[in-house]
Amino acid sequence: FKGKDAVDIVAMSSGHLAKLDLPSPDKIEHKTLSPEFEKQWGLDAARFRGAHKLTKGRGVRVAVLDSGIDMSHPVFQNTLWGAHFNFVGRDGFPWIQAGPPMVDWGWHGTIVTSIVAKYAPEAQITVYRYLDADSQNDSPLPLVVTSLMGAAIYKAVNDGNDVINLSAGSGLHV
């Protein structure tokens, strides 16, 4: 790691812990949004319906920092995507295009991204996968995940995103 900064070292040294086994295509169950989706209290609490009278996100770049995404989900059929970025599972620099595919074992990233796609349908969405939802709480991963969270925030800002969505936290004092 000679000559590398802290972000490079964290990103390069954490990927070997990621779960990268892809499920067989016949094992993937594509789920649709619940018929109750439009009735969620959060839609009114966050004033999404009123916001749609003003904008639906046209020209806005949204970064979703999470556990990845299942882009085959039907809710994403008309989504405008940015160039996704995967910190997990790399054995080299994370910004190199070659490497493991974007997967979402925990479905959290897919769920969060579906909310953005549904309520900012004209925005460009870029997913920054910084954690593996299966093993994020296994020791010593909380420290690694928290470090990668910081690196993902830095990368999303550097990429020029207008909004960063981070639906996570950490009990660590870092």
Side-chain angles (χ1 to χ4, degrees), residues 40-55 119:
Q40 295 182 66
W41 66 268
L43 302 180
D44 293 319
R47 301 181 180 169
F48 279 118
R49 298 179 217 285
H52 272 191
K53 294 176 184 173
L54 302 173
T55 184
Y119 293 101

Side-chain angles (χ1 to χ4, degrees), residues 72-97:
S72 69
H73 194 291
V75 75
F76 302 125
Q77 66 186 16
N78 296 316
T79 301
L80 173 64
W81 297 110
H84 300 314
F85 194 85
N86 192 358
F87 280 98
V88 179
R90 299 292 182 169
D91 57 2
F93 291 113
W95 46 88
I96 296 172
Q97 291 300 313

Side-chain angles (χ1 to χ4, degrees), residues 20-40:
L20 296 174
D21 300 329
L22 293 175
S24 170
D26 62 325
K27 301 284 186 198
I28 297 174
E29 180 180 334
H30 299 291
K31 300 177 181 171
T32 59
L33 294 175
S34 164
E36 302 293 313
F37 193 83
E38 298 290 337
K39 297 178 183 176
Q40 295 182 66

Side-chain angles (χ1 to χ4, degrees), residues 56-141:
K56 293 187 179 177
R58 181 177 302 269
V60 175
R61 296 175 58 191
V62 179
V64 177
L65 284 55
D66 216 292
S67 61
I69 187 168
D70 173 9
M71 290 176 51
S72 69
H73 194 291
V75 75
F76 302 125
Q77 66 186 16
N78 296 316
T79 301
L80 173 64
W81 297 110
H84 300 314
F85 194 85
N86 192 358
F87 280 98
V88 179
R90 299 292 182 169
D91 57 2
F93 291 113
W95 46 88
I96 296 172
Q97 291 300 313
M102 184 76 73
V103 294
D104 186 11
W105 283 101
W107 285 89
H108 191 269
T110 301
I111 292 166
V112 170
T113 306
S114 74
I115 294 168
V116 177
K118 177 80 174 164
Y119 293 101
E122 297 174 1
Q124 175 184 299
I125 302 172
T126 303
V127 176
Y128 294 79
R129 182 176 186 233
Y130 74 93
L131 60 90
D132 173 7
D134 262 0
S135 58
Q136 66 185 349
N137 295 315
D138 298 345
S139 180
L141 286 181

